[in-house]
């Protein structure tokens, strides 16, 4: 039996990881540290029997040290982060506070407890990061690898790049046993409706516009969140301390292709699921019209990176990581989850 501290475990990726770990490692205890900002939701992990929620801030070093000592925790899985690029452009301070200062606080606590006077035990600090730290690719550029130079282009990606460097420094300077994974665009259940896929699904159901930045030709690699959790598990089990691993979904798609797929899946759902038109009467599909009529082009986002692509060769060869969901099945599963879980997302829309 092991005890894990999962920071940001009431958020999207962290919450999915808590579910995944609870199913895959039922004898382990998971202590979730989350300050429950707008993107953190206690209900996301309410049904995970092994999970205990501690409401608190990762910048509270004393609290983290207390948890590590009193709960005999030797593994931290660090998800907690401000992650929405648009929000980082309008208000970068929160990203500096959480992503840089918060990560440093966790590292200080881990160092104190695990490497202090009574330390020396086996441990792991695993840090979740993003492919956005690498910057933007041209159409013919090679995909991001673990040796790609960092060139962050937004306050969000710059703050994540800084946190990556701090994690690396604590390993090389102090000997803290760390690993880092840089992932591509995640999608799936429990995703707060500000990111492209959940936002467009819920807008389509309510008949609201689908706002497309610029020409819609920006390219991203799409990773089903359960596959990401599988990659993190593989890193914790088989990853070498001090190493970084890129975790991708192998699905490099233009935003417009993703949006068209969302529209098609929503239209199909209204055909296949009885009563859907009565539940969502404002959706074009409820009236026999295509969801695609909601597409609207808007001014491009500042500093909008053109293309991301992940080379996951290292994770495949060294960790045995292989994504198990293609985009079509992952997106269909995601849409059906939102249709089946109004009780999770309706309260979020009422608060926003």
């Amino acid at each position: 039996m092991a005890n894990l501290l999962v920071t940001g475990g009431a958020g999207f990726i962290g919450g999915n990881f808590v579910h995944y770990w609870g199913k895959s490692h039922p004898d382990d205890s998971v202590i979730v540290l989350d300050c429950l900002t707008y993107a953190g939701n206690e209900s996301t992990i309410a049904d995970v029997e092994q999970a205990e929620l501690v409401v608190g801030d990762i910048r509270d070093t004393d609290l983290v040290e207390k948890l590590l000592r009193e709960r005999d925790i030797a593994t931290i899985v660090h998800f907690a982060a401000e992650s929405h690029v648009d929000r980082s452009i309008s208000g970068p301070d929160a990203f500096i506070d959480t992503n840089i200062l918060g990560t440093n606080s966790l590292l200080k606590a881990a160092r104190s407890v695990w490497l202090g006077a009574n330390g020396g035990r086996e441990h792991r600090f695993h840090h979740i990061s993003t492919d956005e730290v690498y910057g933007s690719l041209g159409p013919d550029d090679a995909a991001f690898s673990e040796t790609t130079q960092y060139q962050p282009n937004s306050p969000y990606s710059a703050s994540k790049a800084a946190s990556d460097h701090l994690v690396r420094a604590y390993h090389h300077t102090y000997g803290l046993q760390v690993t880092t994974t840089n992932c591509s665009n995640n999608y799936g259940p429990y995703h707060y409706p500000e990111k492209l896929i959940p936002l467009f699904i819920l807008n389509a159901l309510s008949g609201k516009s689908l706002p497309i930045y610029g020409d819609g030709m920006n390219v991203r690699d799409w990773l089903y969140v359960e596959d990401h959790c599988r990659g993190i598990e593989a890193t914790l089990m088989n990853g070498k301390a001090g190493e970084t691993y890129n975790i991708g979904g192998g699905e490099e798609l233009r935003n417009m292709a993703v949006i068209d797929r969302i529209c098609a899946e929503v239209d199909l759902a209204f055909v296949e699921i009885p009563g859907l038109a009565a539940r969502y009467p404002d959706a074009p599909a409820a009236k026999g019209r295509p969801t695609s009529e909601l597409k609207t082009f808007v001014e491009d986002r500042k500093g909008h990176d053109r293309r991301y692509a992940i080379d996951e060769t290292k994770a495949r060869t060294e960790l045995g990581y292989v994504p198990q969901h293609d985009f079509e099945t992952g997106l269909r599963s995601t849409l059906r989850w939102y249709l089946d879980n109004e009780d999770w997302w309706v309260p979020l829309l009422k608060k926003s």
Side-chain angles (χ1 to χ4, degrees):
M1 178 176 177
N3 299 324
L4 282 73
L5 178 65
V6 179
T7 72
F12 166 44
I13 306 176
N16 275 279
F17 178 79
V18 170
H19 278 270
Y20 178 85
W21 199 266
K23 292 176 184 177
S24 302
H25 306 269
D27 294 330
D28 289 358
S29 295
V30 179
I31 295 86
V32 173
L33 178 61
D34 200 300
C35 61
L36 298 181
T37 62
Y38 75 95
N41 192 335
E42 185 174 356
S43 66
T44 295
I45 56 172
D47 61 345
V48 181
E49 191 173 315
Q50 302 94 324
E52 175 190 353
L53 175 64
V54 176
V55 179
D57 197 316
I58 59 173
R59 294 172 296 176
D60 187 342
T61 309
D62 291 340
L63 171 61
V64 176
E65 286 192 21
K66 181 180 179 182
L67 290 172
L68 295 180
R69 289 195 173 97
E70 292 185 354
R71 308 302 177 88
D72 191 29
I73 294 169
T75 302
I76 294 175
V77 188
H78 175 33
F79 293 93
E82 295 286 346
S83 66
H84 194 245
V85 175
D86 287 353
R87 288 178 184 264
S88 82
I89 293 170
S90 60
D93 287 1
F95 291 74
I96 306 303
D97 288 345
T98 298
N99 300 353
I100 301 177
L101 300 181
T103 298
N104 187 57
S105 173
L106 287 172
L107 289 164
K108 286 195 300 181
R111 179 192 172 205
S112 175
V113 174
W114 294 339
L115 301 178
N118 298 316
R121 67 179 297 178
E122 287 295 317
H123 63 269
R124 177 63 62 89
F125 185 108
H126 182 68
H127 175 60
I128 286 82
S129 190
T130 171
D131 57 0
E132 296 192 39
V133 299
Y134 298 122
S136 184
L137 292 170
D140 300 319
D141 289 342
F144 299 134
S145 74
E146 290 80 1
T147 60
T148 299
Q149 179 179 333
Y150 276 30
Q151 294 182 314
N153 290 321
S154 71
Y156 161 61
S157 57
S159 68
K160 289 299 291 183
S163 67
D164 293 4
H165 292 321
L166 280 170
V167 171
R168 182 180 187 276
Y170 267 74
H171 173 71
H172 286 276
T173 301
Y174 305 115
L176 198 68
Q177 300 300 287
V178 308
T179 43
T180 295
T181 47
N182 294 80
C183 68
S184 56
N185 276 34
N186 280 227
Y187 68 101
Y190 301 108
H191 204 172
Y192 187 82
E194 65 180 357
K195 302 293 181 74
L196 190 153
I197 288 178
L199 175 67
F200 278 39
I201 286 174
L202 300 188
N203 278 13
L205 295 177
S206 60
K208 297 180 180 178
S209 67
L210 307 180
I212 303 165
Y213 281 130
D215 60 5
M217 293 295 108
N218 300 73
V219 176
R220 299 293 182 264
D221 177 273
W222 291 92
L223 171 64
Y224 190 64
V225 67
E226 185 179 283
D227 284 329
H228 186 192
C229 295
R230 190 174 292 106
I232 296 167
E233 177 187 45
T235 306
L236 290 170
M237 298 298 184
N238 304 315
K240 182 181 177 182
E243 292 294 314
T244 295
Y245 301 91
N246 283 350
I247 307 296
E251 295 280 354
E252 192 178 339
L253 299 168
R254 291 185 174 89
N255 284 351
M256 188 61 73
V258 172
I259 294 162
D260 287 342
R261 189 69 251 170
I262 293 170
C263 292
E265 287 295 336
V266 170
D267 290 346
L268 180 64
F270 274 80
V271 172
E272 293 185 344
I273 301 176
L276 212 56
R279 289 170 56 192
Y280 304 105
D282 295 327
K287 308 175 183 68
R289 302 201 305 269
T291 300
S292 59
E293 72 178 28
L294 297 173
K295 292 193 296 186
T296 305
F297 288 90
V298 299
E299 182 180 355
D300 205 357
R301 183 168 67 197
K302 295 178 180 178
H304 197 181
D305 290 336
R306 192 63 172 174
R307 173 177 170 248
Y308 304 147
I310 283 281
D311 179 351
E312 61 199 34
T313 302
K314 182 178 178 180
R316 288 177 180 266
T317 56
E318 296 188 15
L319 307 179
Y321 165 73
V322 180
Q324 296 184 4
H325 297 80
D326 61 28
F327 186 74
E328 182 175 354
T329 57
L331 178 62
R332 183 165 301 169
S333 176
T334 300
L335 170 61
R336 300 305 168 100
W337 185 88
Y338 279 93
L339 293 175
D340 292 339
N341 289 274
E342 280 189 3
D343 57 336
W344 183 85
W345 57 263
V346 167
L348 300 183
L349 297 185
K350 290 180 179 178
K351 289 193 298 184
S352 62

